[in-house]
């Protein structure tokens, strides 16, 4: 792996430097060629580094930012008042080619607005989309988008999401992924005009392996590798899935580990199975990519812990290595040419 640099919004999220700084140090240990620029309050960041015994890491630098964008700020307000904020400065480093990617756990709406303003959209993209990989029942991944960047979209934008989702999935699967639209039924007559119109467009495309509609209970069956919907539906689906996963894992933990003897027996009898269940932990999939930009931006959950935030950094590393924006741009160019022939 060649050298790469990530600009990290150290102040974003619910915990700020208490999570982002330790996660950065761990990521540097895992990726020997990685450099990280921590953007935020210099004193708070330095204090965290001293607590970790890493006051002068050779591959870690700090860029001071005076302010932080609050989680309750509207995107338009954040855009106007963002100068000097940790999120904006981190994105500016990417725009100025001083970093290869930005990672932030901050305000999602502000991150999208600032990313569009500073990095600009790829040709053929109307709106960026948030996408993340989730587990399916076979231990593989399914990519779901949009996860909340766009509450409402038109059919053309939904079609663009399908193309971009197919590219990111193909890069990791190394085969042409099956793409589906999330709907209230599998039959062609089901769904609203938006979904029906996008389905017609996908059926006509030679660039997307479109397999039709899937319902909510098929998100994790492996029937599709990429599942496309608007941001409202996608965010509700994601948060519901995460809630169910945490409910299941919590109940299982209470049942098997509530007593030392139970814990010992469970590990002895079901150790391998319990290890396999770890892939259901939502933290293993933290790090949603903001696709459609002329740069790489990864959004972490605001409440992510150190391990989860490290996963978001890892996602940024993988996208830099794969040069994802260029590959999406190339695919969109081919699709646009296909539609105009």
């Amino acid at each position: 792996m060649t050298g790469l640099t990530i600009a990290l919004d150290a102040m974003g999220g619910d915990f700020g430097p208490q999570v982002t700084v330790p996660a950065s140090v761990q990521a540097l240990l895992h990726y020997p060629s990685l450099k990280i620029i921590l953007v935020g309050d210099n004193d708070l960041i330095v204090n965290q580094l001293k607590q970790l015994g890493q006051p002068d890491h050779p591959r870690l630098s700090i860029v001071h930012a005076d302010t932080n964008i609050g989680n309750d700020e509207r995107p338009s307000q954040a855009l106007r008042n963002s100068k000097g904020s940790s999120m904006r400065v981190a994105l500016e480093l990417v725009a100025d080619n001083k970093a290869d990617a930005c990672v932030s756990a901050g305000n999602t709406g502000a991150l999208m607005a600032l990313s569009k303003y500073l990095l600009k959209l790829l040709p053929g993209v109307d709106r960026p989309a948030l996408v993340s990989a989730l587990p399916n029942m076979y231990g593989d991944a399914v990519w779901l988008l949009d996860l909340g960047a766009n509450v409402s979209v038109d059919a053309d934008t939904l079609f663009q999401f399908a193309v971009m989702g197919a590219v990111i999935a193909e890069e990791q699967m190394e085969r042409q992924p099956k793409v589906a639209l999330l709907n209230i039924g599998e039959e062609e007559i089901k769904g609203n005009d938006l979904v029906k119109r996008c389905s017609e467009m996908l059926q006509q495309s030679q660039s997307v392996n479109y397999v039709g509609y899937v319902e909510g209970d098929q998100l994790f069956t492996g029937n599709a590798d990429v599942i496309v919907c608007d941001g409202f539906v996608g965010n509700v689906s994601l948060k519901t899935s995460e809630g169910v996963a945490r409910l299941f894992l919590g109940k299982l933990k209470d049942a098997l580990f509530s007593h030392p003897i139970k814990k010992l027996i469970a590990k002895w009898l079901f150790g391998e199975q319990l290890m396999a269940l770890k892939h259901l932990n939502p933290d293993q999939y933290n790090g949603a990519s903001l696709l459609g930009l002329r740069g790489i931006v990864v959004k972490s959950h605001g409440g992510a812990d150190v391990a989860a935030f490290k996963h978001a950094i890892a996602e940024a590393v993988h996208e830099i290595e794969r040069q994802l924006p260029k590959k999406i741009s190339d695919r969109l160019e081919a699709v646009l040419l296909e539609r105009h022939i």
Side-chain angles (χ1 to χ4, degrees):
M1 181 177 71
T2 58
L4 51 88
T5 302
I6 291 175
L8 197 148
D9 173 14
M11 309 307 292
D14 298 342
F15 308 107
Q18 296 177 22
V19 161
T20 58
V21 175
S24 298
V25 171
Q26 290 187 17
L28 291 172
L29 291 171
H30 191 77
Y31 299 103
S33 299
L34 175 63
K35 296 179 181 179
I36 292 180
I37 305 171
L38 291 169
V39 183
D41 187 297
N42 184 81
D43 292 340
L44 292 177
I45 294 171
V46 168
N47 184 54
Q48 282 293 319
L49 288 171
K50 287 180 178 177
Q51 291 183 34
L52 295 167
Q54 299 283 348
D56 299 303
H57 197 291
R59 290 184 284 120
L60 194 153
S61 58
I62 301 172
V63 172
H64 179 73
D66 293 319
T67 62
N68 180 37
I69 296 174
N71 290 330
D72 57 346
E73 285 192 53
R74 294 179 180 274
S76 57
Q77 179 186 5
L79 194 58
R80 289 193 303 269
N81 303 325
S82 63
K83 191 173 182 181
S85 67
S86 57
M87 182 186 290
R88 176 160 182 159
V89 173
L91 288 167
E92 287 173 341
L93 290 169
V94 179
D96 295 338
N97 295 316
K98 295 178 180 177
D100 302 299
C102 170
V103 179
S104 175
N107 183 316
T108 302
L111 185 64
M112 186 181 79
L114 283 168
S115 297
K116 286 173 62 179
Y117 176 70
L118 294 168
L119 302 181
K120 311 304 180 187
L121 295 171
L122 291 170
V125 176
D126 294 325
R127 297 184 184 183
L130 273 173
V131 61
S132 184
L134 305 173
N136 70 19
M137 63 191 300
Y138 299 107
D140 297 321
V142 55
W143 281 264
L144 181 64
L145 74 164
D146 176 30
L147 297 178
N150 307 275
V151 174
S152 62
V153 296
D154 57 23
D156 283 314
T157 304
L158 209 59
F159 177 83
Q160 294 163 19
F161 291 174
V163 174
M164 294 191 294
V167 173
I168 191 172
E170 186 175 314
E171 282 303 305
Q172 300 202 36
M173 299 174 64
E174 298 183 347
R175 64 171 173 82
Q176 189 177 34
K178 297 176 290 184
V179 179
L181 289 171
L182 187 57
N183 200 2
I184 58 172
E186 296 182 67
E187 301 83 2
E188 287 294 325
I189 62 170
K190 295 289 183 67
N192 55 29
D193 291 339
L194 164 70
V195 172
K196 290 178 181 177
R197 172 60 184 143
C198 184
S199 180
E200 293 174 359
M201 296 166 66
L202 288 169
Q203 287 174 20
Q204 296 167 8
S205 174
Q206 301 299 312
S207 301
V208 178
N209 180 23
Y210 178 59
V211 297
Y213 298 143
V214 296
E215 298 183 66
D217 62 349
Q218 298 174 320
L219 286 176
F220 311 108
T221 60
N223 291 358
D225 304 305
V226 178
I227 299 178
V228 183
C229 56
D230 65 53
F232 184 91
V233 173
N235 190 269
V236 172
S237 299
L238 175 67
K239 297 297 174 61
T240 302
S241 301
E242 290 177 344
V244 171
R246 288 193 172 96
L247 173 65
F248 171 74
L249 293 174
K251 290 292 185 181
L252 185 66
K253 183 178 179 181
D254 290 343
L256 297 180
F257 301 143
S258 58
H259 189 278
I261 295 179
K262 281 186 178 181
K263 184 175 181 179
L264 183 63
I265 294 174
K267 286 188 174 181
W268 178 55
L269 291 177
F270 308 112
E272 186 175 336
Q273 291 82 357
L274 291 172
M275 286 294 294
L277 286 175
K278 284 188 174 182
H279 82 283
L280 296 180
N281 186 341
D283 290 344
Q284 299 290 320
Y285 302 90
N286 182 49
S289 306
L290 199 51
L291 301 181
L293 299 165
R294 298 176 185 264
I296 295 169
V297 178
V298 175
K299 171 68 173 71
S300 165
H301 281 306
D305 61 12
V306 172
F309 197 86
K310 183 186 170 187
H311 279 286
I313 297 173
E315 178 60 34
V317 171
H318 296 155
E319 291 186 21
I320 296 168
E321 292 176 330
R322 291 177 172 84
Q323 297 184 313
L324 193 62
K326 183 181 185 306
K327 290 181 177 177
I328 289 175
S329 181
D330 291 345
R331 182 68 59 84
L332 283 167
E333 183 179 351
V335 170
L336 287 172
L337 181 63
E338 167 192 284
R339 293 179 67 186
H340 286 89
I341 291 178

